[in-house]
């Protein structure tokens, strides 16, 4: 039994992207954040493409909606990043469940972060992905990305 408990806690950590940080506001972090194709930050993202993240969290309360909000930090200045409407509808990107989400439910959410091809190349850009429900932010992760051309 002890081995099963150890494996249950260690195996997910193997797949999570290393270097994910707590957001500046100190919100609760998701249980696990994985940037697909990236084992440690900064995660390389090609300009004109999207970073795909798997975010696992436990609903802290009954949730009617799920909305991601992203903010990039360039030279320490917070720059809100407007997401396309289809990405803002987070309930449409939950794996194996739908909204509303009952309190205490563990949820896997797939988040696509599009990176405009006209953005500059940056080596270590902090991006915060805050998850909101009808009451505001309930979870947030800070991921460092490196934007590269083609």
């Amino acid at each position: 039994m002890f081995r099963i408990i150890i494996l249950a806690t260690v195996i997910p950590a193997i797949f999570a992207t290393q270097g994910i940080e707590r957001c500046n506001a100190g919100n609760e972090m998701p249980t696990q954040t994985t940037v697909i194709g990236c084992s440690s930050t900064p995660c390389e993202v090609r300009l004109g493409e999207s970073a795909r993240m798997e975010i696992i969290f436990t609903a802290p309360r009954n949730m009617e909606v799920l909305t991601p909000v992203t903010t990039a930090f360039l030279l320490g200045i917070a720059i809100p990043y407007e997401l396309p409407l289809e990405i803002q509808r987070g309930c449409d990107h939950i794996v194996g469940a739908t909204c509303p989400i009952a309190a205490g439910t563990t949820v896997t959410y797939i988040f696509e972060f599009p990176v405009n091809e006209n953005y500059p190349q940056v080596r270590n850009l902090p991006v915060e992905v805050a998850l909101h429900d009808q009451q505001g932010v309930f979870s947030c992760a800070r991921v460092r990305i490196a934007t590269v051309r083609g």
Side-chain angles (χ1 to χ4, degrees):
M1 179 66 170
F2 185 66
R3 280 189 245 172
I4 292 171
I5 292 171
I6 290 175
L7 287 175
T9 56
V10 172
I11 287 178
I14 293 171
F15 298 108
T17 301
Q18 300 300 308
I20 304 294
E21 302 167 332
R22 183 175 302 278
C23 291
N24 283 345
N27 301 97
E28 187 71 29
M29 290 181 65
T31 305
Q32 179 178 315
T33 303
T34 304
V35 180
I36 306 302
C38 177
S39 59
S40 66
T41 63
C43 295
E44 192 172 281
V45 179
R46 296 195 185 287
L47 294 166
E49 296 182 10
S50 293
R52 183 178 168 112
M53 299 179 196
E54 180 182 85
I55 301 171
I56 299 173
F57 65 89
T58 300
R61 54 189 161 258
N62 291 333
M63 297 172 53
E64 300 298 321
V65 298
L66 173 63
T67 306
V69 174
T70 54
T71 306
F73 292 83
L74 189 57
L75 302 174
I77 299 169
I79 303 167
Y81 186 86
E82 188 70 28
L83 295 168
L85 285 176
E86 66 272 8
I87 294 174
Q88 290 180 34
R89 292 189 291 269
C91 290
D92 295 345
H93 305 283
I94 296 171
V95 177
T98 59
C99 290
I101 302 166
T105 303
T106 298
V107 176
T108 300
Y109 167 62
I110 304 299
F111 174 67
E112 297 270 345
F113 178 69
V115 179
N116 189 303
E117 66 185 325
N118 296 318
Y119 286 171
Q121 293 185 83
V122 188
R123 291 187 194 174
N124 194 12
L125 179 69
V127 175
E128 291 187 354
V129 180
L131 301 180
H132 292 242
D133 66 3
Q134 66 279 0
Q135 293 183 24
V137 178
F138 67 89
S139 188
C140 187
R142 186 178 180 109
V143 179
R144 294 182 180 274
I145 65 169
T147 56
V148 296
R149 297 220 181 271

